[in-house]
């Protein structure tokens, strides 16, 4: 009888330990998967912001009519500069689509586009849930007058297009950029 | 389940957990690496920009400086700066290429480049001679030494074959009435020949009937090729160090530096006013009808170094290194001697130095980064 009680007791204890280990294992696995998605999203964010910053820093280079921006909307920006330093003024635009990104279940998910001299590319396979641009004049006041813009502030939220366990990896980036040619 | 089986199972779970932990650790390391790279990029960019700004600052005090820096320590990184003379948008500029390094020489090295095009000082087309005027200069030069050869700023040497006429006038005839010694550079030979000042002068150092594509400039800005109002704006707002705008002699602050813009009413005559000691820069003396007249000018010490653009000037009892342009076609005539110990010497370097800072205001610095 005693050995039966020992046997049942050890089974219950062992089962509990086993269940706890399994639960822990699944939680850790979920964290690991989330981490992988976070890394991927963060790398994607730094890559596209590098492109965006590189373009914005050139704003106004070689421009003689003081118009370094042709579009200055809150979610659409068009920058004028001699981007490839060949003596010809080019225009580069960034904007987010108006419809939900098909691959995402998030109704705010949009596609971020970059257009350079008429050629449009999708910048990231991930979803942009917010792309907002503010424009400031020389005295720091907000403006939409393209001739007065001296500073831009850009904020962007990115979400991984794949969710895991109902969780989506996301990144936030915000930057104030003062193009040297607009000083 | 036997005890042994349980142990094996637990060991298996622990092994899997270790594998998962390793994955998490690696992901965390990747996240941090990504942040590091972003930081390095930004640091390198900041270093590059600072290097370019440092060079611009240095250029503002020494226009001939081209040495740059090689792997100079800055903000925990290094910067290499190169300077070359080139053209940008058809204008003479100094191109500054500044490369910022983060973790130089390591596998994690990150470099960013910032390029600045800084407008160079220039010699305005109005400066065709040491003294240039649309009207006659027969008497204006009195018995001075007028040298169109290209002197350096320190006045220790002449750069050969790069000077101008001694005098350039729109008048049909020039007569050296008071035995001035005239020299300059003639481009009638290849290469151009420098002619030492002498009396009687070599006819090749005098230009008569000088013609101007758009007519003789009637404003100081037009003389320098600037949009109208530029020089006055620089002077009024003191946009370059030492610049000043005055309407009366008593308002002048010495020593003269930058752009000194003296604007007086039509018909104003200043007599025997002094320029202070060792004046430099661009000196404008002008009235709306370009008939302001400075009669008898001197300094309290040293020569004027730079470019003088005046409506009218007579009795030049001082030395000038750079150039002098007179805007009024009715230049003054009359007897004027006793200036044999004074000179007007042309100097590209000095005029460039005078126009350098104002050019940066007019054209700005272009950045490519």
């Amino acid at each position: 009888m005693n050995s039966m009680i020992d046997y049942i007791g050890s089974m219950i204890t062992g089962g509990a330990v086993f269940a706890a280990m399994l639960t822990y294992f699944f939680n850790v696995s979920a964290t690991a998967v989330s981490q992988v998605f976070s890394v991927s999203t963060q790398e994607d964010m730094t890559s596209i912001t590098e492109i965006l910053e590189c373009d914005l820093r050139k704003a106004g280079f070689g421009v003689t009519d003081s118009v370094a921006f042709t579009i200055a909307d809150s979610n659409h920006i068009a920058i004028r500069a001699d981007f490839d330093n060949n003596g010809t003024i080019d225009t580069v635009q960034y904007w987010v689509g108006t419809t939900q990104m098909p691959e995402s279940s998030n109704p705010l998910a949009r596609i971020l586009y970059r257009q350079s001299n008429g050629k449009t590319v999708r910048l990231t396979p991930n979803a942009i849930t917010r792309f907002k641009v503010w424009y400031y004049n020389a005295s720091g006041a907000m403006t939409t007058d393209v001739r007065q813009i001296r500073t831009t502030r850009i904020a962007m939220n990115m979400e991984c297009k794949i969710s895991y366990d109902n969780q989506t990896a996301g990144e936030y980036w915000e930057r104030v950029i003062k193009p040297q040619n607009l000083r | 389940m036997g005890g042994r089986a349980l142990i094996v199972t637990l060991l298996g779970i622990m092994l899997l957990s270790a594998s998962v932990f390793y994955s998490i650790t690696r992901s965390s390391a990747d996240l941090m690496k990504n942040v590091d790279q972003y930081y390095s990029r930004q640091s390198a960019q900041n270093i590059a920009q600072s290097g370019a700004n440092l060079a611009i600052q240095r250029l503002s005090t020494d226009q001939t400086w081209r040495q740059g820096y090689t792997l100079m320590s800055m903000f925990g990184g290094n910067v290499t700066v190169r300077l070359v003379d080139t053209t940008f948008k058809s204008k003479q500029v100094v191109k500054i290429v500044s490369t910022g390094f983060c973790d130089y020489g390591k596998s994690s090295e990150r470099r960013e480049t910032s390029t600045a095009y800084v407008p160079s000082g220039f010699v305005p087309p109005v400066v065709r001679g040491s003294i240039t005027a649309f009207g006659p200069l027969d008497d204006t030069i009195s018995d001075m030494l007028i040298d169109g050869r290209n002197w350096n700023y320190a006045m220790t040497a002449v750069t050969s074959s790069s000077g101008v006429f001694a005098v350039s006038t729109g008048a049909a005839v020039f007569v050296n009435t008071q035995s001035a010694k005239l020299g300059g550079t003639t481009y009638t030979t290849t290469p151009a020949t420098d002619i030492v000042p002498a009396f009687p002068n070599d006819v090749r150092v005098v230009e008569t009937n000088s013609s101007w594509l758009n007519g003789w400039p009637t404003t100081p800005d037009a003389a320098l090729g600037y949009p109208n109002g530029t020089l006055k704006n620089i002077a009024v707002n003191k946009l370059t160090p030492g610049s000043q705008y005055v309407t009366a002699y008593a308002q002048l602050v010495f020593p003269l530096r930058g752009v000194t813009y003296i604007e007086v009413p039509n018909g104003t005559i200043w007599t025997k006013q002094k320029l202070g000691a060792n004046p430099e820069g661009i000196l404008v003396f002008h009235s709306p009808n370009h008939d302001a007249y400075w009669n008898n000018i001197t300094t309290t010490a040293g020569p004027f170094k730079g470019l003088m653009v005046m409506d009218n000037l007579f009795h030049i009892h001082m030395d000038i290194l750079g150039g002098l342009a007179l805007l009024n076609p009715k230049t003054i005539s009359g007897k004027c001697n006793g200036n044999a110990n004074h000179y007007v010497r042309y100097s590209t370097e000095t005029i460039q130095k005078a126009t350098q800072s104002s050019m940066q205001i007019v054209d700005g610095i272009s950045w490519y980064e």
Side-chain angles (χ1 to χ4, degrees):
Chain A
M1 186 63 184
N2 282 345
S3 64
M4 182 62 95
I5 291 169
D6 288 348
Y7 191 67
I8 292 169
S10 68
M11 274 187 74
I12 291 169
T13 309
V17 169
F18 185 67
M21 290 290 282
L22 268 184
T23 307
Y24 177 71
F25 173 71
F26 284 128
N27 284 341
V28 170
S29 296
T31 304
V33 172
S34 296
Q35 282 273 62
V36 170
F37 287 139
S38 285
V39 171
S40 158
T41 312
Q42 192 197 60
E43 285 177 348
D44 202 24
M45 179 67 108
T46 51
S47 294
I48 66 168
T49 55
E50 186 167 354
I51 297 168
L52 180 58
E53 283 182 48
C54 187
D55 285 340
L56 256 175
R57 280 202 305 267
K58 290 186 179 68
F61 175 72
V63 173
T64 53
D65 58 7
S66 304
V67 182
F69 299 93
T70 50
I71 298 172
D73 289 342
S74 62
N75 58 3
H76 189 169
I77 182 169
I79 310 156
R80 285 180 77 226
D82 181 4
F83 287 98
D84 39 15
N85 201 3
N86 64 355
T88 307
I89 300 300
D90 314 290
T91 301
V92 169
Q93 299 188 45
Y94 289 87
W95 75 95
V96 284
T98 52
T99 56
Q100 183 181 341
M101 190 172 113
E103 303 96 306
S104 173
S105 57
N106 186 343
L108 296 175
R110 299 285 184 273
I111 295 172
L112 178 62
Y113 296 99
R114 176 182 186 270
Q115 187 184 76
S116 174
N117 287 336
K119 290 179 187 167
T120 305
V121 292
R122 178 177 171 173
L123 263 184
T124 166
N126 289 318
I128 301 298
T129 54
R130 182 188 187 216
F131 178 78
K132 189 164 171 60
V133 191
W134 295 266
Y135 307 90
Y136 301 91
N137 62 16
S139 58
M142 286 180 67
T143 183
T144 51
D145 183 341
V146 292
R147 286 178 185 275
Q148 291 189 2
I149 296 171
R150 297 290 177 272
T151 304
T152 59
R153 179 160 67 99
I154 301 185
M156 187 158 50
N157 280 89
M158 181 189 284
E159 272 189 4
C160 184
K161 66 177 180 179
I162 301 167
S163 295
Y164 176 77
D165 200 20
N166 288 327
Q167 289 200 338
T168 309
E171 292 295 332
Y172 177 69
W173 173 85
E174 182 174 325
R175 190 85 205 270
V176 174
I177 297 173
K178 298 180 177 181
Q180 297 264 31
N181 293 298
L182 306 185
R183 285 183 171 183
Chain B
M1 187 182 285
R4 190 172 296 170
L6 189 62
I7 288 169
V8 169
T9 307
L10 286 174
L11 280 174
I13 290 173
M14 284 171 71
L15 207 62
L16 282 170
S17 294
S19 160
V20 171
F21 263 120
Y22 173 72
S23 170
I24 290 174
T25 309
R26 198 178 58 184
S27 296
S28 295
D30 285 348
L31 280 170
M32 286 313 298
K33 190 177 169 189
N34 200 35
V35 171
D36 279 351
Q37 283 175 345
Y38 188 87
Y39 175 79
S40 294
R41 167 162 65 91
Q42 202 51 59
S43 293
Q45 181 68 43
N46 290 344
I47 291 168
Q49 249 179 32
S50 299
N53 279 315
L54 203 61
I56 290 168
Q57 187 64 30
R58 180 74 188 268
L59 262 185
S60 69
T61 55
D62 181 3
Q63 210 209 344
T64 59
W65 181 74
R66 297 290 183 274
Q67 285 93 322
Y69 306 107
T70 302
L71 291 175
M72 184 174 72
S73 293
M74 183 183 278
F75 305 146
N78 302 86
V79 67
T80 292
V81 179
R82 288 188 303 109
L83 294 92
V84 288
D85 291 288
T86 183
T87 55
F88 177 68
K89 290 194 285 182
S90 307
K91 288 183 177 162
Q92 278 297 122
V93 296
V94 179
K95 181 182 180 184
I96 300 170
V97 182
S98 173
T99 306
F101 299 90
C102 211
D103 292 342
Y104 178 75
K106 297 178 184 170
S107 61
S108 56
E109 177 184 310
R110 177 84 194 201
R111 60 176 70 183
E112 292 288 332
T113 300
S114 189
T115 305
Y117 296 90
V118 182
S120 297
F122 71 114
V123 177
V126 75
V127 182
R128 297 174 66 89
S130 284
I131 302 180
T132 311
F134 193 60
L137 286 169
D138 303 9
D139 295 339
T140 310
I141 60 170
S142 67
D143 54 354
M144 298 178 82
L145 184 146
I146 313 291
D147 191 354
R149 292 177 301 161
N150 183 9
W151 286 84
N152 65 354
Y153 179 77
M155 236 179 359
T156 53
V158 167
T159 305
S160 63
S161 307
S162 57
V164 294
F165 293 107
V167 294
S168 171
T169 170
V173 178
F174 171 79
V175 181
N176 190 348
T177 57
Q178 293 168 72
S179 308
K181 289 181 178 174
L182 306 184
T185 303
T186 177
Y187 293 85
T188 56
T189 58
T190 305
T193 304
D194 290 319
I195 297 169
V196 176
F199 179 82
N201 62 273
D202 188 314
V203 293
R204 294 175 298 174
V205 299
V206 175
E207 181 185 42
T208 52
N209 281 319
S210 63
S211 59
W212 293 81
L213 191 62
N214 300 313
W216 183 257
T218 56
T219 66
D221 287 312
L224 269 70
Y226 290 160
N228 229 0
T230 302
L231 287 169
K232 186 173 172 179
N233 179 45
I234 292 171
V236 169
N237 296 301
K238 304 182 192 307
L239 298 181
T240 59
S243 292
Q244 55 182 317
Y245 170 81
V246 301
T247 54
Y249 180 80
Q251 296 167 351
L252 279 172
V253 176
F254 301 107
L256 302 186
R257 294 289 185 270
V259 175
T260 302
Y261 199 106
I262 304 169
E263 188 172 41
V264 291
N266 292 330
T268 297
I269 299 174
W270 281 14
T271 303
K272 294 185 177 178
Q273 305 289 21
K274 296 178 190 290
L275 284 180
N278 304 305
E280 288 187 18
I282 298 173
L283 173 62
V284 172
F285 183 63
H286 180 60
S287 72
N289 284 349
H290 51 89
D291 62 356
Y293 170 32
W294 198 315
N295 178 19
N296 194 326
I297 192 168
T298 56
T299 65
T300 53
F304 172 86
K305 288 187 173 182
L307 182 60
M308 291 169 69
V309 183
M310 297 189 158
D311 289 349
N312 233 329
L313 175 65
F314 203 71
H315 295 297
I316 308 170
H317 296 298
M318 59 178 282
D319 299 322
I320 298 172
L321 178 69
L324 166 65
L326 301 177
L327 300 180
N328 195 313
K330 291 180 181 172
T331 43
I332 309 296
S333 58
K335 183 78 174 168
C336 174
N337 54 17
N339 290 335
N341 59 339
H342 288 299
Y343 62 80
V344 179
R345 284 181 171 140
Y346 171 76
S347 167
T348 298
E349 185 185 347
T350 305
I351 294 176
Q352 284 180 338
K353 200 175 166 69
T355 53
Q356 163 90 35
S357 52
S358 61
M359 273 301 289
Q360 290 181 20
I361 302 295
V362 175
D363 269 4
I365 298 170
S366 292
W367 292 82
Y368 187 77
E369 48 185 13

